[in-house]
């Protein structure tokens, strides 16, 4: 189910996995509580909900046998970011892994670590986009979350070449970038900082980028790239705009 979980790791830990059973509609983890455990679904189905200020509770996802949850809070070292509840008329069995063993598990298996990080990224993005776009179906949010990619660039490296097809929008998570525009033979440069984004005009018109984008000379940059068509569809189905979405994504990603 999750490669790398073997007897050698069990011997290193003071705690051992346990199996617990939860009844219909029983809450397994609650949003806001300290994150101390990791869960693997052995039987049954659960629903993942998240509460937002001044908004109705949002259904983010449904999980079934073989799925797992609880890794977000553990990897981020914080509190539960969502509530997980057993679906109606269902009984659930979960394997419960304490934080110490979970960290051993992740640190000692490259395959498992990559898988957990991938799931973490998807769930973080799902959470952020749900808050930014409350009128969009959660399944569509899950889809865009799984498609978006995080990338790091060294100082002074080129991120986007002039003339490149504008098929993505870039959200700046860390660092600063320079956007160089060449218009009628004249060149001008603007700087974008953490929290700002690029591509809101070009990607909506399906044009090539008329500029080039690079990390500034003194710092590395971390970006989140989101597919143009998926992002456009979400914006059209919501009652907000790209600036608001970018602002929410940035704030929530760094403080999740």
């Amino acid at each position: 189910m999750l490669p790398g979980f073997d007897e050698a790791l069990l011997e290193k830990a003071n705690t051992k996995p346990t199996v617990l059973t939860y009844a219909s509609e029983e809450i397994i983890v609650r949003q806001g509580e300290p994150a101390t455990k990791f869960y693997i679904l052995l039987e049954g189905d659960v629903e993942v909900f998240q509460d937002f200020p001044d908004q109705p509770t949002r259904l983010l996802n449904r999980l079934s046998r073989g799925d797992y949850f609880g890794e977000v809070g553990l990897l981020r070292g914080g509190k539960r970011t969502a509530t997980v509840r057993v679906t109606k008329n269902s009984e659930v069995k979960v394997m419960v892994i304490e934080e110490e063993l979970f960290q051993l598990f992740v640190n000692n298996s490259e395959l498992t670590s990559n898988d957990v990080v991938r799931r973490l990224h998807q769930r973080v993005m799902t959470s952020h986009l749900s808050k930014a776009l409350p009128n969009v179906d959660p399944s569509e949010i899950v889809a865009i979350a799984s498609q978006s990619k995080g990338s790091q660039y060294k100082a002074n490296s080129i991120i986007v070449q002039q003339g490149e097809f504008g098929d993505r929008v870039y959200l700046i998570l860390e660092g600063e970038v320079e956007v160089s525009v060449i218009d009628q033979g004249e060149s001008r440069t603007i700087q974008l900082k953490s929290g700002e984004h690029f591509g809101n005009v070009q990607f909506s018109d399906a044009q090539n980028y008329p500029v080039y984008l690079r990390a500034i000379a003194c710092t590395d940059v971390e970006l989140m790239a989101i597919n143009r068509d998926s992002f456009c569809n979400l914006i059209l189905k919501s009652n907000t705009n790209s600036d608001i979405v970018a602002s929410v994504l940035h704030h929530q990603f760094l403080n999740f």
Side-chain angles (χ1 to χ4, degrees):
M1 185 183 303
L2 290 175
F5 191 71
D6 54 29
E7 294 298 325
L9 291 182
L10 287 174
E11 292 175 1
K12 294 179 181 179
N14 295 319
T15 59
K16 302 294 185 282
T18 57
V19 176
L20 297 179
T21 301
Y22 292 87
S24 171
E25 299 187 88
E26 188 173 358
I27 290 177
I28 302 176
V29 301
R30 190 182 299 274
Q31 183 175 342
E33 293 179 343
T36 61
K37 296 178 177 65
F38 174 67
Y39 299 85
I40 303 172
L41 269 169
L42 303 178
E43 294 180 13
D45 303 298
V46 300
E47 295 174 323
V48 183
F49 296 91
Q50 192 164 46
D51 293 320
F52 300 114
D54 303 320
Q55 294 183 20
T57 298
R58 291 274 288 165
L59 173 64
L60 298 184
N61 206 354
R62 291 183 174 88
L63 307 176
S64 57
R65 184 175 182 270
D67 288 326
Y68 52 92
F69 57 92
E71 77 278 14
V72 172
L74 290 175
L75 290 173
R76 295 279 175 170
K79 296 182 178 181
R80 296 297 184 197
T81 57
T83 295
V84 179
R85 186 180 70 195
V86 180
T87 56
K88 189 174 182 179
N89 300 321
S90 177
E91 183 180 81
V92 161
K93 287 186 178 180
V94 292
M95 178 180 290
V96 184
I97 300 172
E98 299 288 339
E99 182 176 7
E100 176 202 14
L101 184 55
F102 173 79
Q103 296 297 345
L104 281 173
F105 181 51
V106 170
N107 294 336
N108 286 275
S109 173
E110 181 179 355
L111 179 59
T112 299
S113 177
N114 289 340
D115 191 32
V116 169
V117 169
R118 178 179 59 81
R119 293 292 186 98
L120 169 64
H121 168 249
Q122 178 176 329
R123 292 182 188 179
V124 167
M125 291 299 294
T126 299
S127 170
H128 301 165
L129 289 171
S130 293
K131 184 172 183 179
L133 307 170
N135 299 318
V136 178
D137 189 288
S139 64
E140 297 185 53
I141 295 174
V142 171
I144 193 175
S146 63
Q147 295 168 6
S148 57
K149 298 179 180 180
S151 301
Q152 293 184 332
Y153 296 85
K154 295 294 185 182
N156 210 38
S157 61
I158 298 295
I159 299 169
V160 172
Q161 295 279 5
Q162 185 176 357
E164 184 177 330
F165 181 59
D167 60 346
R168 288 172 288 182
V169 56
Y170 294 90
L171 171 66
I172 304 168
L173 301 176
E174 296 281 4
E176 298 182 21
V177 302
E178 287 184 348
V179 181
S180 296
V181 183
I182 300 177
D183 185 17
Q184 297 181 349
E186 294 186 3
S187 177
R188 58 187 177 89
T189 300
I190 60 173
Q191 285 196 340
L192 300 178
K193 299 180 180 180
S194 175
E196 297 183 286
H197 68 295
F198 169 77
N200 53 312
V201 175
Q202 288 78 9
F203 77 75
S204 61
D205 295 332
Q207 298 174 351
N208 296 340
Y209 291 116
V211 302
Y212 75 84
L213 190 72
R214 71 176 181 87
I216 64 172
C218 59
T219 184
D220 294 347
V221 170
E222 183 177 0
L223 300 175
M224 182 65 67
I226 302 175
N227 175 269
R228 176 199 65 206
D229 293 335
S230 298
F231 194 81
C232 283
N233 287 335
L234 288 181
I235 296 298
L236 290 173
K237 293 176 180 178
S238 69
N239 292 326
T240 183
N241 57 52
S242 60
D243 292 328
I244 294 174
V245 173
S247 175
V248 171
L249 283 174
H250 174 262
H251 175 76
Q252 293 297 320
F253 186 89
L254 295 182
N255 295 282
F256 198 81

